């Protein structure tokens, strides 16, 4: 939670829940992953448009499912959805030492810019249609490495 919210998580209010749970499938889009054994939610990846053709991206994965390539799969599919809806770049604001976020951003396209100040990084990534399409095709073909963590199987 600390890495996701860059500190303590915000106080959950009805307004915040409404904001996070309302999508229009164009400017605000979200994907949710469920545990196949229990049906519980285990991850969410979302974007929210911040300007013409740009959206802020965010991903959260429950600790037991980290290192299973789930965030990678979600971001790849999210990038494809974004491109299909006129979003051509993702931006992110994150803790500078959060290397998994940097790696995820590098998967979907080249970084247009990155700035680091006072322990926080801000990056903009141009979404690359060819890279995103290839990654999603690998997922669909079952050549992805996204599997439940060994501790859960």
């Amino acid at each position: 939670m600390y890495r996701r919210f860059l500190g303590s998580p915000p106080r959950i209010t009805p307004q915040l829940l409404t904001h996070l749970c309302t999508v229009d499938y164009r400017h605000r889009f979200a994907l949710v992953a469920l545990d196949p054994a229990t049906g519980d939610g285990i991850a969410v990846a979302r974007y929210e448009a911040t300007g013409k053709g740009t959206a802020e991206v965010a991903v959260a994965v429950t600790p037991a499912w980290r290192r299973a390539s789930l965030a990678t799969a979600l971001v790849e599919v999210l990038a494809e959805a974004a491109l299909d809806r006129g979003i051509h770049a993702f931006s992110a604001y994150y803790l500078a030492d959060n290397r998994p976020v940097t790696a995820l951003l590098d998967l979907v396209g080249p970084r247009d810019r990155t700035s680091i100040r006072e322990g926080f990084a801000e990056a903009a990534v141009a979404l690359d249609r060819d890279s995103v399409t290839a990654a999603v095709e690998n997922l669909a073909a079952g050549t992805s490495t996204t599997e439940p963590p060994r501790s859960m199987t």
Side-chain angles (χ1 to χ4, degrees):
M1 291 293 270
Y2 181 82
R3 282 185 162 184
R4 169 61 188 94
F5 292 105
L6 309 177
S8 298
R11 189 173 144 265
I12 303 298
T13 64
Q15 294 83 4
L16 178 60
L17 282 176
T18 298
H19 177 79
L20 292 174
C21 295
T22 304
V23 295
D24 65 9
Y25 301 100
R26 182 159 192 80
H27 301 100
R28 299 181 77 212
F29 193 98
L31 298 170
V32 176
L34 304 177
D35 183 320
T38 66
D40 293 341
I42 56 173
V44 62
R46 59 183 292 120
Y47 73 71
E48 183 163 347
T50 57
K52 187 171 175 67
T54 302
E56 183 175 4
V57 65
V59 181
V61 178
T62 193
W65 278 84
R66 291 184 188 151
R67 307 265 185 246
S69 299
L70 184 56
T72 300
L74 287 171
V75 167
E76 289 168 345
V77 174
L78 189 68
E80 181 179 53
L83 285 164
D84 291 345
R85 289 158 178 79
I87 303 292
H88 302 288
F90 277 164
S91 65
Y93 188 69
Y94 55 99
L95 293 172
D97 67 351
N98 192 341
R99 292 183 186 191
V101 170
T102 302
L104 277 174
L105 292 172
D106 288 343
L107 285 174
V108 293
R111 274 187 265 168
D112 285 341
R113 63 180 163 77
T114 301
S115 64
I116 299 175
R117 221 174 32 242
E118 298 180 17
F120 296 100
E122 184 174 9
V125 177
L127 300 178
D128 179 71
R129 173 68 76 174
D130 293 336
S131 296
V132 168
T133 299
V136 172
E137 286 173 356
N138 285 339
L139 285 171
T143 57
S144 164
T145 60
T146 305
E147 300 173 3
R150 293 182 198 271
S151 64
M152 297 187 67
T153 56

